Amino acid sequence: MFIKNTWYVACALSELEALGDKPLGRTICNEKMAFFKGPDGRVAAVEDFCPHRGAPLSLGKVCKGHLQCGYHGLEMGTDGKTVQMPGQRVRGFPAIKAFAVVERYGFVWVWPGDPSKVEESKMPVFEFFENPTWAYGGGLYHVKADYRLMIDNLMDLTHETYVHANSIGQPEIDEAPCTTTVAGDQVVLQRHMTGIQAPPFWQMAMSANGLDPQAKVDRWQICRFTPPSHIMIDVGVALAGKGGFDAAPEHKAYSVVVDFITPETETSHWYHWGMARQFKPHDAELTAKIRAGQGGIFNEDMEMLQLQQANISQWPDRKLLMLNIDSGGVQSRRIIERFLALENTPVVTA
């Protein structure tokens, strides 16, 4: 159920650096990994399994760029080969798995699949992470639910009316029709609302951008899914009649909700969330305020998804019903299934 020959966000670089000489243990696509900085200061990832007695290497520490097992002191290199062990001859040990890693946009990205198929050129490109006219703030949640349930959740924002009634939800979301299109490997779901009152979160954003929070607005939600499981959502409000999504910056409050969904197991995932914005990008206090508000909103999603997973796990044979509002999630799952089929098709040689 996991696309493995691709790039996933493993962790924020700051999360790993905060551990000092301790490695970071993380399971991604059912692969147990230990992340650490090698002798050159670059992040590496190896299988979280000591070849001596099977202890988790993530319980050890980093010594001069080598990952030392916390059980008997065996040291691993960034390539998965044993380097040394006190008083023992261990260089003949078979290597454990080593995973390709890239540091980009403040994150550590990992390729959990076939190392012979690694292509750094397949890394996704995000202009706003390296553009000073944008600000970004985000966080991480560990969610005990199938990663595809999060994709469903983010590609159908009608739940905002009910799950997030006190922040970003409003009845007009239910009332406004949505359109779903598929272009290659991308699914785009759009919803546009005109002449409405902004909900509390967006009233706060309007005030921060010097707009009257009580003014009528045109609001948009444009959800973009790309495999393996990344979703970027253009969200915002503009003063009514000023062009909506295409309004001039001085007439709107506009952001991109950043969602990196990394599968852990069949019933759990890592959710790296954040928001990139173009208004007042140098206002650190505003970034912190938005991050706190967004974190609270996503925490409501997490509670719902985990209870949803518990129900599904208890009644695995019950068929879930589909409505037209599910079109974004349905199309996204179809792309995932297509990638899985391609990845799992045996290569026939003459």
Side-chain angles (χ1 to χ4, degrees):
M1 61 184 287
F2 312 124
I3 303 170
K4 287 195 170 184
N5 292 329
T6 189
W7 295 103
Y8 289 98
V9 171
C11 64
L13 185 58
S14 59
E15 183 183 4
L16 177 62
E17 291 177 338
L19 295 176
D21 65 353
K22 296 293 184 182
L24 173 70
R26 187 137 294 173
T27 298
I28 295 173
C29 297
N30 273 336
E31 297 279 357
K32 292 184 179 296
M33 306 177 185
F35 293 84
F36 65 104
K37 286 197 173 184
D40 58 359
R42 298 175 63 184
V43 179
V46 297
E47 189 177 4
D48 196 7
F49 187 96
C50 179
H52 172 224
R53 303 302 297 166
L57 290 168
S58 59
L59 297 181
K61 64 179 181 179
V62 184
C63 299
K64 297 180 180 179
H66 296 153
L67 182 51
Q68 185 184 78
C69 178
Y71 197 9
H72 296 99
L74 179 144
E75 293 185 14
M76 304 298 302
T78 59
D79 58 0
K81 294 180 180 179
T82 303
V83 176
Q84 63 182 7
M85 185 174 176
Q88 306 294 320
R89 295 182 179 180
V90 293
R91 287 186 176 270
F93 276 15
I96 60 174
K97 287 183 183 178
F99 301 92
V101 170
V102 171
E103 299 171 47
R104 192 169 297 175
Y105 305 131
F107 297 101
V108 176
W109 299 72
V110 68
W111 181 286
D114 187 341
S116 69
K117 297 181 178 179
V118 172
E119 293 185 51
E120 191 167 335
S121 62
K122 289 187 176 180
M123 280 283 300
V125 176
F126 302 103
E127 185 264 351
F128 47 75
F129 278 118
E130 298 178 335
N131 188 330
T133 66
W134 289 78
Y136 178 81
L140 169 67
Y141 281 133
H142 181 231
V143 186
K144 296 178 181 178
D146 183 333
Y147 78 102
R148 295 171 298 183
L149 293 180
M150 180 63 83
I151 293 174
D152 295 342
N153 174 75
L154 294 168
M155 292 300 289
D156 168 26
L157 298 183
T158 56
H159 74 274
E160 289 183 358
T161 304
Y162 311 98
V163 180
H164 311 304
N166 296 319
S167 53
I168 55 176
Q170 59 187 134
E172 288 86 354
I173 297 175
D174 278 342
E175 298 164 2
C178 63
T179 60
T180 302
T181 57
V182 180
D185 298 329
Q186 185 180 71
V187 180
V188 180
L189 181 142
Q190 300 191 49
R191 177 180 286 106
H192 296 268
M193 296 154 272
T194 59
I196 64 173
Q197 194 77 37
F201 179 88
W202 285 110
Q203 287 185 10
M204 178 272 292
M206 291 173 70
S207 293
N209 202 30
L211 303 175
D212 178 4
Q214 298 303 317
K216 293 291 185 179
V217 298
D218 297 331
R219 182 182 179 187
W220 60 88
Q221 299 170 327
I222 307 174
C223 310
R224 308 177 193 274
F225 167 86
T226 54
S229 48
H230 306 146
I231 298 176
M232 304 293 118
I233 309 178
D234 290 307
V235 291
V237 295
L239 296 177
K242 296 294 185 179
F245 178 77
D246 297 315
E250 63 268 23
H251 297 312
K252 67 183 179 182
Y254 162 62
S255 301
V256 178
V257 178
V258 177
D259 306 286
F260 295 131
I261 306 160
T262 301
E264 182 187 41
T265 69
E266 287 81 357
T267 56
S268 62
H269 65 270
W270 301 98
Y271 178 37
H272 295 266
W273 54 267
M275 181 173 282
R277 74 176 191 281
Q278 275 192 300
F279 60 94
K280 295 195 174 179
H282 304 297
D283 190 334
E285 185 177 345
L286 177 59
T287 299
K289 187 174 183 179
I290 290 176
R291 182 186 180 280
Q294 189 184 21
I297 291 168
F298 287 153
N299 191 56
E300 295 169 339
D301 283 316
M302 185 170 69
E303 179 183 22
M304 179 63 74
L305 291 174
Q306 292 185 154
L307 292 173
Q308 181 185 7
Q309 180 64 62
N311 262 355
I312 291 172
S313 296
Q314 186 172 356
W315 291 286
D317 297 325
R318 296 189 68 163
K319 183 176 176 60
L320 301 182
L321 304 179
M322 297 295 174
L323 300 169
N324 60 353
I325 59 173
D326 301 311
S327 58
V330 169
Q331 295 296 339
S332 299
R333 287 197 182 216
R334 285 178 180 172
I335 289 176
I336 291 172
E337 291 300 323
R338 176 160 56 81
F339 270 68
L340 287 172
L342 288 172
E343 193 167 292
N344 294 310
T345 299
V347 176
V348 179
T349 58

